[in-house]
Amino acid sequence: MVSTKDALPVAKAISEGKKAERRLGWLLCAPAALVMVAVTGWPILYAVWLSFQRFDLKYPDQREFVGLENYVTVLTNGYWWSAFWVTVLITVVSVAIEFVLGMGLALIMHRALVGRGLVRTVSLIPYGIVTVVAAFSWRYAWTPDTGYLANLFAPDSAPLTDRAGSLAIIILAEIWKTTPFMALLLMAGLALVPDDLLKAAAMDGAGPWQRFVKVMLPVMKPAILVALLFRTLDAFRVFDNIVVLTSGSQDTSSVSVLAYNNLIKGLNLGIGSTMSVLIFIAVALIAFLFVKLFGAAAPGGDDKGRP
């Protein structure tokens, strides 16, 4: 039996080794982090500075510092909140469906013994297509008279001219495009599950569903964190599919489309920059919540979610 006095030096040695690993990790990451801060830091700071000003390129002589007035204008505007909730709806529904479909696809690709390479290649084709090109294919498919999907499912209507139909098609296009990406990340997580662990659970009487929930999902938590975080951040910035399919009509604008319309089309740098800063804050908040929720499962994290 090991006494407390004998155990203390071992615990200290492990702690010092972990500290050395952390220092090495910071040193290895430092060059990339410095470059990233230098490249992205200035645009972010300049956008924040512009958001505190009344600055419309159509009236450059009227530029002045207005403090938080632009934020009050945006946050009390109905168009912003309509776009925000449309963005949340597209994000939540598409990521939830993609996770279920991606998990099923990953299980098939992981377990397929015959034609595994062919299945993986075919399933990844949608993700390899440029988003704008895929969006145009969906637009033509749902165009009345000429579109095969419109003729098949809605022969007497035009789904892209009403709000519910437009949102459903936008979400469908998002799911079709990025489910393979979700499956690819989850399949990497499935590779982490030891076969011996599954065999031991089966010998203990665990059925397929119990092995999936009690054994596979806990081991896959780091991969699930990465997959959900990446896709949630990507879905929250949805832009291409909306611009091509509806151009934001029928109240289908996302916050990214609204910021683009004000910043690029409207040349209103003050309001457009304010929307960009709010989107940045929302994305940072989503990342923070995911890391806090799955902190202990983050790759390299300890029991308290620390790196």
Side-chain angles (χ1 to χ4, degrees):
M1 180 177 179
V2 180
S3 65
T4 305
K5 291 182 179 179
D6 295 333
L8 284 176
V10 176
K12 185 178 180 181
I14 293 174
S15 177
E16 290 297 329
K18 196 163 186 176
K19 287 180 180 177
E21 288 183 0
R22 289 178 179 175
R23 283 196 295 272
L24 178 61
W26 281 111
L27 289 174
L28 292 175
C29 293
L34 289 175
V35 172
M36 190 170 64
V37 169
V39 172
T40 63
W42 168 245
I44 293 174
L45 292 176
Y46 190 58
V48 173
W49 171 243
L50 288 177
S51 70
F52 293 137
Q53 300 182 52
R54 180 181 294 117
F55 189 11
D56 192 330
L57 286 180
K58 297 190 291 297
Y59 312 101
D61 297 337
Q62 299 178 9
R63 179 176 180 176
E64 62 177 329
F65 183 83
V66 294
L68 297 176
E69 184 178 311
N70 287 334
Y71 288 91
V72 174
T73 301
V74 172
L75 293 176
T76 56
N77 188 284
Y79 287 109
W80 167 260
W81 287 110
S82 174
F84 179 80
W85 291 119
V86 165
T87 306
V88 171
L89 175 68
I90 294 174
T91 301
V92 172
V93 175
S94 62
V95 173
I97 296 176
E98 285 170 22
F99 178 70
V100 175
L101 295 178
M103 182 63 79
L105 195 58
L107 288 170
I108 293 173
M109 290 192 291
H110 183 68
R111 290 297 178 188
L113 299 178
V114 179
R116 177 184 296 182
L118 180 63
V119 172
R120 290 180 180 179
T121 303
V122 171
S123 63
L124 290 175
I125 287 176
Y127 192 66
I129 299 175
V130 178
T131 304
V132 174
V133 175
F136 270 108
S137 71
W138 281 100
R139 177 178 170 178
Y140 293 137
W142 286 101
T143 300
D145 297 331
T146 59
Y148 67 97
L149 291 178
N151 293 335
L152 186 63
F153 296 105
D156 300 324
S157 63
L160 287 174
T161 60
D162 67 81
R163 190 169 191 241
S166 298
L167 288 175
I169 293 172
I170 290 170
I171 292 173
L172 188 62
E174 285 283 306
I175 293 170
W176 179 83
K177 167 73 180 171
T178 51
T179 294
F181 175 71
M182 180 78 81
L184 198 64
L185 294 177
L186 294 176
M187 193 170 64
L190 283 172
L192 299 175
V193 182
D195 287 336
D196 293 341
L197 203 58
L198 294 174
K199 291 177 181 176
M203 291 181 66
D204 289 339
W209 178 249
Q210 289 177 311
R211 294 199 296 273
F212 177 72
V213 174
K214 301 291 185 182
V215 178
M216 299 175 73
L217 287 184
V219 177
M220 292 176 62
K221 281 180 73 175
I224 292 174
L225 164 67
V226 173
L228 290 179
L229 178 59
F230 278 25
R231 267 306 298 147
T232 302
L233 296 181
D234 194 33
F236 192 82
R237 296 171 298 183
V238 57
F239 179 83
D240 310 55
N241 279 320
I242 294 177
V243 170
V244 173
L245 287 169
T246 66
S247 300
S249 59
Q250 291 88 45
D251 291 332
T252 57
S253 282
S254 66
V255 288
S256 296
V257 174
L258 202 60
Y260 170 81
N261 289 337
N262 281 273
L263 194 60
I264 305 301
K265 287 186 174 180
L267 302 178
N268 193 333
L269 301 188
I271 294 296
S273 297
T274 302
M275 292 179 175
S276 301
V277 172
L278 290 173
I279 294 171
F280 174 77
I281 293 173
V283 168
L285 185 62
I286 291 171
F288 175 77
L289 292 176
F290 266 92
V291 172
K292 291 295 290 182
L293 185 63
F294 290 90
D302 57 16
D303 293 339
K304 296 181 179 179
R306 297 175 301 189

